[in-house]
Amino acid sequence: VIDSTKIASLRAAFQGRLITAPEEQAPFLFDWRKRWKGRALAVVQPDTAQDVASILRWCNATHTPIVPQGGNTGLVGASTPDPSGTAIVLSLARLNRVRSVDAINNTLVAEAGCILAQVQQTAAAHSRLFPLSLAAEGSCTIGGNLSTNAGGVQVLRYGNARELCLGLEVVTAQGELWDGLRGLRKDNTGYDLKHLFIGAEGTLGVITAASLKLFAQPAAQMTSLAALRSPTHALGLLTLAQKHLGPALTAFELMSRNCIELVLRHIPAAQDPFSAQHPHYVLLEASDAEGQDHAQARFEAMMHEALEAGLIDDAVVASSLQQSAHLWALRENITEAQAKEGKNIKHDISVPISAIDRFVEQTNATLEQRFPGIRMVVFGHLGDGNLHYNVSPAPGVDPEQFMQQEPEVNAVVYEAVARFSGSISAEHGIGLLKRDTNAALKSPVELALMQTIKRALDPLGLMNPGRVLPTAESLR
Amino acid sequence: VIDSTKIASLRAAFQGRLITAPEEQAPFLFDWRKRWKGRALAVVQPDTAQDVASILRWCNATHTPIVPQGGNTGLVGASTPDPSGTAIVLSLARLNRVRSVDAINNTLVAEAGCILAQVQQTAAAHSRLFPLSLAAEGSCTIGGNLSTNAGGVQVLRYGNARELCLGLEVVTAQGELWDGLRGLRKDNTGYDLKHLFIGAEGTLGVITAASLKLFAQPAAQMTSLAALRSPTHALGLLTLAQKHLGPALTAFELMSRNCIELVLRHIPAAQDPFSAQHPHYVLLEASDAEGQDHAQARFEAMMHEALEAGLIDDAVVASSLQQSAHLWALRENITEAQAKEGKNIKHDISVPISAIDRFVEQTNATLEQRFPGIRMVVFGHLGDGNLHYNVSPAPGVDPEQFMQQEPEVNAVVYEAVARFSGSISAEHGIGLLKRDTNAALKSPVELALMQTIKRALDPLGLMNPGRVLPTAESLR
């Protein structure tokens, strides 16, 4: 039952789109993997930050919960409403202007609803690089990237979304507009408020715009695939690559053999660049300020030293953009290939880089012993200590039956993560999916600090309730 | 009058050094520039984070204010007690262990009282670079560097102290120990609490240890001094250097001719490397992953292009470490030379890099018109948009009389900073010195957010009271 008086009052409160028809609301009510489906009082799509503020003031007056939503590409259930139908979904999609580009200051001010690819392209049009790059870049938004502190493939060199942000415009939970869009590299005039809202998944306020860092475009990019025996060898290669390339090393991605097998099986155009099979592979990317020849010479010198040192068993260096794209396709198609293979259990973990080989070795061994025949599909951003540590059922095992073992598999993985002082969510955030697991694993002091911040900034508990932190109700 | 019962109860509350004798307390009660001098109930020097926690619990029970102090090298009066004698000074000097170094993870865990140079040297002993570098590095501490979000000469490439920190150990205002010493590059499991304590100048809690980022050491470093006509030409050179060198550009420091004059006059060993005089100079440093020959070739190619483009009028590239040290000495001796010349009015401002030439041109013009004959001593981290925008009296003008005009000079400078959306404290922080000016310039929304955070984390108002934010009393 729609409360028509309430809807009328909401309609009067702001300019912009108000969606109440169920068929028009539908795309905003579930996530793209269809794991969570909810209901909403209404979906609102304002056009300006001022109207976001008006909406939040209305929500304060009426005690209406708010679920902010960007591109709705998240993986942890942080941007879909609960089934109660009491919340509004606040879609930032129409705040989609790049407000300014300053090529000398190397900054770009984008509204929250700008698609990541749009920001990359705008930077490129000014001969600048915006380095945030991830699978969903064609549909995810900058506001969502910042609210989840997105990672991706170039974090090794440029940092997470957090590190790419110089300033924010935010509407507070009380509906006040904070203009913190400073494009400054240095500013020590008080608490760094932007870092509170970045990564808070919309639970403390609504990001409406951001001042983003741009970089000089590299003159050339080189890609190489190295074949090697183990994650320990990959760590040795990483240290060597950092020594040789310094900040020119922009990607360092590990893949276990199972990943390549899946891609070769399910992705028609995929080809194994090596004639022999190898237990592990590392995809390296270097971004060079000089040019193609210099980049290639540096890469080949490094790979030669890695071969001599016994760190790698074979390597190919892409000599064309097309070859580079083929190598990247092996990495980028793993998730799709794994989906085609069938259901699987996913983890997005990080540990100190120096512990990643022991983490993989010990956790693989425990899982393979407990669940005979399971296939470890291990890949990810080794240079950041971040692995997508996925588990597929043994050949012939019913996937549905396997998925019932998810809690047991998770328990093994999360125990190992804790033992190595790691993180159970390196890139994807907490949302609803990992809320209770996270609360159980965090120290009471840290959890209490988080709750203190939440209560201080959102005393009515209206901002994306039940996400990131357990609510009083969910603890009962 | 010392409250001996209170002192006895404090003595019983923790292990470590307790200083009550006035002559032993003295060095902790004033800052090194002797601008602020206060009194303290006691100076405490615990040896462990657990004892810091014990002290803060005692302070909570007795409602005793705490003034945390590191190397006491700050410039804004953030680490000296007020004259009331009611606060304790909490010196972190004896928490001075490097707890661990992980050369593969590129991290180092240092306690708050570690001297910055000690951290740099420990990193170097493991063939790693800890890039934070500033004038006080021989006596400032990591805890202070983080509490003030220190800057320095390599921010352009490596970021401020904030960006060099992966995790913190903090004692909260309530005396609870939070272990957030994660050495992870990616961790999205809730609010990023470390960023609240970094730059908070001890007003929200006490940093007791930090997990710091290390980097591969460069194979070579090159220094060059370019002579040029104006800050606008310097901006052109910056864009060119970023294109040529990318992340290899590690310092880009502007100096006006007056700076060089002062150094040549007051520093005996100083020499002008050019035969002609030039209005401005830029000191550039490149850090190269390949070696000396490569670095020099890259540098010379860039300088050649800059000459061709008319961006610079002359340049010297250091061909030895000694030459490099001579060039750096011109930059590093400016502050000392200016002190020898006499009193002057200092500012630590930042603006968007693209606006820095207009800021200098317009503000110089206004000041020179209002205060005929004054000398602009403008230098600093142009690559970060951060200038030490200092003003010396006209030759022959009594320095004491000139200093009485400081409020008028500041008003001109801060109005210009605001007009260019800049910062009145780029590196040095707020403390007591800029507290009220900052409060007057910040937007009410931002100030209210800061006060909300302060009240939430330090409800009794015991943490470094009156610093950063005005207290209720100071507002009266």
Side-chain angles (χ1 to χ4, degrees):
Chain A
V1 182
I2 293 173
D3 180 339
S4 60
T5 317
K6 199 165 182 182
I7 292 291
S9 125
L10 172 59
R11 177 62 285 176
F14 78 107
Q15 304 293 310
R17 195 167 166 219
L18 174 74
I19 307 171
T20 52
E23 66 281 7
E24 287 178 59
Q25 279 194 4
F28 301 92
L29 303 182
F30 55 86
D31 68 301
W32 67 279
R33 293 198 298 175
K34 302 195 175 149
R35 288 187 70 147
W36 297 275
K37 188 168 181 351
R39 293 193 309 124
L41 177 72
V43 175
V44 294
Q45 273 191 334
D47 296 284
T48 66
Q50 286 72 21
D51 273 317
V52 173
S54 302
I55 291 165
L56 263 71
R57 286 196 297 273
W58 180 87
C59 288
N60 262 264
T62 58
H63 285 216
T64 304
I66 303 110
V67 179
Q69 190 177 96
N72 199 10
T73 61
L75 295 164
V76 294
S79 59
T80 40
D82 72 16
S84 72
T86 56
I88 61 162
V89 171
L90 169 57
S91 163
L92 281 306
R94 306 219 297 190
L95 274 79
N96 60 359
R97 289 182 312 134
V98 173
R99 291 192 193 159
S100 62
V101 180
D102 182 339
I104 295 175
N105 195 41
N106 276 314
T107 48
L108 179 156
V109 175
E111 292 184 343
C114 288
I115 303 293
L116 172 53
Q118 173 194 356
V119 174
Q120 296 166 341
Q121 287 154 14
T122 307
H126 290 79
S127 301
R128 292 294 179 273
L129 173 71
F130 182 64
L132 189 67
S133 175
L134 45 100
E137 63 196 25
S139 46
C140 63
T141 62
I142 279 294
N145 296 149
L146 289 167
S147 292
T148 59
N149 186 27
V153 292
Q154 298 204 92
V155 173
L156 177 60
R157 160 72 182 97
Y158 298 102
N160 297 287
R162 179 183 300 286
E163 281 83 39
L164 299 173
C165 179
L166 290 175
L168 288 182
E169 182 186 79
V170 168
V171 174
T172 68
Q174 291 75 39
E176 293 192 280
L177 188 62
W178 169 50
D179 178 358
L181 283 176
R182 294 184 276 265
L184 304 174
R185 258 68 186 178
K186 285 184 175 173
D187 178 25
N188 277 337
T189 54
Y191 308 149
D192 198 325
L193 299 169
K194 70 172 178 290
H195 282 304
L196 266 181
F197 297 103
I198 297 172
E201 303 179 22
T203 63
L204 298 179
V206 179
I207 295 172
T208 53
S211 177
L212 303 169
K213 278 188 206 170
L214 305 181
F215 295 82
Q217 287 181 313
Q221 280 195 318
M222 288 292 303
T223 312
S224 169
L225 188 70
L228 33 74
R229 267 159 284 164
S230 72
T232 303
H233 290 78
L235 283 185
L237 181 63
L238 176 63
T239 298
L240 187 73
Q242 285 171 331
K243 182 179 146 233
H244 272 260
L245 301 173
L249 181 67
T250 43
F252 195 95
E253 301 282 311
L254 181 77
M255 298 176 272
S256 65
R257 177 66 200 173
N258 280 338
C259 303
I260 304 293
E261 299 269 345
L262 287 171
V263 172
L264 296 174
R265 190 177 311 142
H266 294 289
I267 308 295
Q271 283 191 326
D272 190 338
F274 301 106
S275 50
Q277 295 188 10
H278 300 273
H280 288 87
Y281 304 84
V282 168
L283 184 75
L284 299 97
E285 184 190 75
S287 298
D288 197 281
E290 293 180 49
Q292 193 72 20
D293 292 348
H294 180 257
Q296 185 146 355
R298 295 293 297 157
F299 234 44
E300 286 172 355
M302 178 190 71
M303 287 301 189
H304 183 73
E305 190 175 326
L307 266 170
E308 293 279 305
L311 291 171
I312 64 174
D313 295 315
D314 204 351
V316 289
V317 176
S319 60
S320 68
L321 281 179
Q322 194 187 8
Q323 275 187 23
S324 172
H326 278 146
L327 295 181
W328 269 108
L330 289 172
R331 164 67 182 85
E332 285 169 347
N333 280 313
I334 297 171
T335 301
E336 189 180 334
Q338 210 183 5
K340 287 190 175 166
E341 179 80 2
K343 290 208 167 178
N344 59 83
I345 301 171
K346 293 181 195 294
H347 307 99
D348 166 40
I349 64 93
S350 68
V351 294
I353 299 166
S354 52
I356 212 158
D357 52 347
R358 284 170 291 149
F359 171 87
V360 171
E361 194 182 321
Q362 294 174 19
T363 318
N364 279 8
T366 306
L367 288 172
E368 284 163 354
Q369 192 192 1
R370 290 247 203 117
F371 308 94
I374 58 155
R375 286 168 294 166
M376 302 307 308
V377 180
V378 176
F379 64 100
H381 319 295
L382 187 79
D384 312 315
N386 171 206
L387 292 180
H388 299 302
Y389 188 80
N390 296 352
V391 187
S392 283
V397 167
D398 173 42
E400 293 298 338
Q401 204 178 335
F402 176 68
M403 292 308 286
Q404 289 171 13
Q405 297 177 303
E406 184 165 8
E408 289 167 68
V409 171
N410 289 353
V412 169
V413 174
Y414 292 153
E415 183 281 324
V417 167
R419 192 154 28 86
F420 286 102
S421 304
S423 169
I424 65 163
S425 189
E427 306 193 294
H428 298 163
I430 296 300
L432 197 56
L433 180 67
K434 296 184 183 172
R435 184 191 68 186
D436 296 335
T437 306
N438 192 46
L441 291 171
K442 284 268 175 199
S443 73
V445 177
E446 184 163 342
L447 208 57
L449 279 168
M450 285 172 56
Q451 280 160 336
T452 298
I453 297 296
K454 170 73 175 174
R455 274 194 305 268
L457 294 183
D458 178 26
L460 299 181
L462 299 179
M463 296 306 310
N464 215 1
R467 270 58 179 176
V468 182
L469 283 169
T471 54
E473 292 77 29
S474 70
L475 285 175
R476 260 178 231 140
Chain B
V1 181
I2 293 173
D3 180 339
S4 62
T5 317
K6 200 166 182 184
I7 293 290
S9 125
L10 172 58
R11 177 62 285 178
F14 78 105
Q15 305 292 311
R17 194 166 166 221
L18 174 74
I19 307 172
T20 53
E23 65 281 9
E24 288 179 60
Q25 279 193 6
F28 301 92
L29 302 183
F30 56 86
D31 68 302
W32 67 279
R33 293 198 298 173
K34 305 201 171 139
R35 288 187 69 146
W36 297 276
K37 186 166 178 0
R39 294 194 309 125
L41 177 72
V43 176
V44 293
Q45 272 191 334
D47 297 284
T48 65
Q50 286 72 23
D51 274 316
V52 174
S54 301
I55 290 165
L56 265 71
R57 286 195 297 273
W58 179 87
C59 289
N60 262 265
T62 58
H63 285 216
T64 305
I66 303 110
V67 180
Q69 189 177 97
N72 199 12
T73 61
L75 296 165
V76 294
S79 60
T80 39
D82 71 16
S84 71
T86 56
I88 61 163
V89 172
L90 170 56
S91 162
L92 280 306
R94 306 220 297 190
L95 274 78
N96 59 359
R97 290 182 313 134
V98 172
R99 291 193 193 159
S100 62
V101 180
D102 183 338
I104 295 175
N105 195 40
N106 275 315
T107 47
L108 180 156
V109 176
E111 292 183 344
C114 288
I115 303 293
L116 173 52
Q118 172 194 357
V119 174
Q120 294 167 341
Q121 287 155 15
T122 307
H126 290 80
S127 301
R128 292 294 180 274
L129 173 72
F130 182 63
L132 189 67
S133 176
L134 44 102
E137 63 196 24
S139 48
C140 63
T141 62
I142 280 294
N145 296 148
L146 290 166
S147 291
T148 58
N149 186 28
V153 291
Q154 299 204 88
V155 173
L156 177 61
R157 159 71 181 98
Y158 297 102
N160 297 288
R162 180 185 296 288
E163 279 84 39
L164 299 173
C165 179
L166 290 174
L168 287 182
E169 181 186 81
V170 168
V171 174
T172 68
Q174 291 74 40
E176 293 193 280
L177 188 63
W178 170 49
D179 178 358
L181 282 175
R182 294 183 276 265
L184 305 174
R185 256 70 185 176
K186 285 184 177 173
D187 178 25
N188 277 337
T189 56
Y191 308 150
D192 198 326
L193 300 169
K194 71 172 178 290
H195 282 304
L196 266 182
F197 297 103
I198 297 173
E201 302 180 22
T203 63
L204 299 178
V206 179
I207 295 174
T208 53
S211 178
L212 302 169
K213 279 189 205 170
L214 304 180
F215 294 82
Q217 287 181 312
Q221 280 194 319
M222 287 294 301
T223 312
S224 172
L225 189 70
L228 32 74
R229 266 159 285 165
S230 72
T232 303
H233 290 80
L235 282 186
L237 181 62
L238 176 64
T239 297
L240 187 73
Q242 285 172 331
K243 181 179 147 233
H244 272 261
L245 301 173
L249 181 66
T250 44
F252 195 94
E253 301 282 312
L254 181 77
M255 297 175 274
S256 64
R257 176 67 199 175
N258 279 339
C259 303
I260 303 293
E261 300 270 345
L262 286 171
V263 172
L264 295 175
R265 188 176 313 143
H266 294 289
I267 309 294
Q271 285 190 324
D272 190 338
F274 301 106
S275 51
Q277 295 189 8
H278 300 273
H280 287 88
Y281 303 84
V282 168
L283 184 75
L284 299 96
E285 184 189 76
S287 299
D288 197 282
E290 293 180 49
Q292 193 70 18
D293 293 347
H294 180 257
Q296 184 145 355
R298 294 294 295 156
F299 235 44
E300 287 172 355
M302 179 190 71
M303 287 302 188
H304 184 73
E305 191 175 326
L307 267 170
E308 294 279 305
L311 291 171
I312 65 176
D313 295 316
D314 203 351
V316 289
V317 176
S319 60
S320 68
L321 280 179
Q322 197 188 5
Q323 275 189 23
S324 170
H326 278 146
L327 295 181
W328 268 108
L330 289 173
R331 165 67 182 85
E332 286 169 348
N333 280 313
I334 297 170
T335 302
E336 191 181 331
Q338 210 182 4
K340 288 190 175 167
E341 179 80 2
K343 290 209 169 181
N344 59 83
I345 301 171
K346 293 181 194 295
H347 307 99
D348 166 40
I349 64 93
S350 68
V351 294
I353 300 167
S354 51
I356 211 156
D357 52 347
R358 282 172 291 148
F359 171 86
V360 171
E361 193 183 322
Q362 295 175 21
T363 318
N364 279 8
T366 306
L367 289 172
E368 285 162 356
Q369 191 191 1
R370 291 249 203 116
F371 308 94
I374 60 156
R375 286 167 295 166
M376 302 309 307
V377 181
V378 176
F379 63 101
H381 319 294
L382 187 80
D384 312 315
N386 171 203
L387 291 181
H388 300 301
Y389 188 79
N390 296 352
V391 187
S392 283
V397 167
D398 173 42
E400 294 299 337
Q401 204 179 334
F402 176 69
M403 292 308 286
Q404 288 173 13
Q405 297 177 304
E406 184 166 9
E408 288 167 66
V409 172
N410 289 354
V412 170
V413 174
Y414 293 155
E415 183 282 322
V417 167
R419 192 154 27 88
F420 285 104
S421 304
S423 169
I424 63 161
S425 189
E427 306 192 297
H428 298 163
I430 295 301
L432 196 56
L433 179 67
K434 297 185 184 172
R435 183 192 68 186
D436 297 335
T437 306
N438 193 46
L441 291 171
K442 284 267 174 199
S443 74
V445 177
E446 185 162 341
L447 208 57
L449 279 167
M450 285 172 57
Q451 280 160 334
T452 299
I453 297 296
K454 169 74 175 174
R455 275 194 302 269
L457 294 183
D458 178 25
L460 298 181
L462 299 177
M463 296 306 311
N464 214 4
R467 271 56 181 175
V468 181
L469 283 170
T471 55
E473 292 77 29
S474 69
L475 284 176
R476 259 179 235 138

